[in-house]
Amino acid sequence: GMNEKKDQSYMLYRLGQEVLSRLIFPLGEIQDKDQTRQMARDAALPNADNADSQEICFIPDGDYASYLSKNGYFCPKGKFVNTKGEILGEHLGRHCYTIGQRRGLGVSAGKRIFVLGKNTEENTVILGDEEELYKKEIYCTDVNFIRDIPYPITAEVKVRYKKSGERAVIEKTENGVKCTFFDSVRAPAPGQSAVFYIDDEVIGGGIIRRYGL
């Protein structure tokens, strides 16, 4: 999309040519959201002046943990631990925290600490220093390439929707691909999508399953 702030290409990497060849993006050439709103006003659309949606659009208050609980997901309380396994406190359920989160942990450590990861088997949330969030390697499965790509290939890899891409070498593995970054990336989270770009073209992507160094 011409409007980089509203570009949705990160979400489209799973599609193949059989679908993309039939898609039409009527707003793709519009650079200014105000122009879109004016078009909606001219068409008398009732949502022309609605506020932009943030985060998960169907959870307007942003409280996704409560949404999950109300819809049948239950995760018991457990322990906050550091990378050595030492207990730092009690968490309210793993689903209440995201990788890279700093606020709302309820743990007094005498310094800034962040969510580094989660251990499902032990029901723990791992906390540590910010520098521990930075990783040089990620491993992805459920990989889809929109067109044939020779391995290895250097591309820009986005690990979150609103992050800019970082250069990485993408190599094939037994179950997917490994991305080795030129510069470490902050807080790649298992379960998130990693999307691969060459210039402004989406060439594919996959689901982050784990990270390396």
Side-chain angles (χ1 to χ4, degrees), residues 28-69:
E29 300 298 320
I30 296 177
Q31 300 187 41
D32 190 343
K33 182 65 176 284
D34 290 337
Q35 183 182 352
T36 304
R37 291 190 182 280
Q38 187 57 53
M39 293 169 62
R41 294 187 197 103
D42 293 343
L45 298 181
N47 61 344
D49 293 299
N50 282 10
D52 289 3
S53 61
Q54 303 289 333
E55 300 297 336
I56 304 175
C57 59
F58 55 86
I59 307 178
D61 62 359
D63 189 355
Y64 62 87
S66 293
Y67 175 87
L68 291 172
S69 298

Side-chain angles (χ1 to χ4, degrees), residues 12-23 144-147:
L12 301 176
Y13 78 89
R14 298 186 190 189
L15 302 180
Q17 293 296 343
E18 72 282 358
V19 175
L20 290 170
S21 64
R22 298 196 298 273
L23 286 183
N144 177 59
F145 279 102
I146 296 173
R147 60 180 175 87

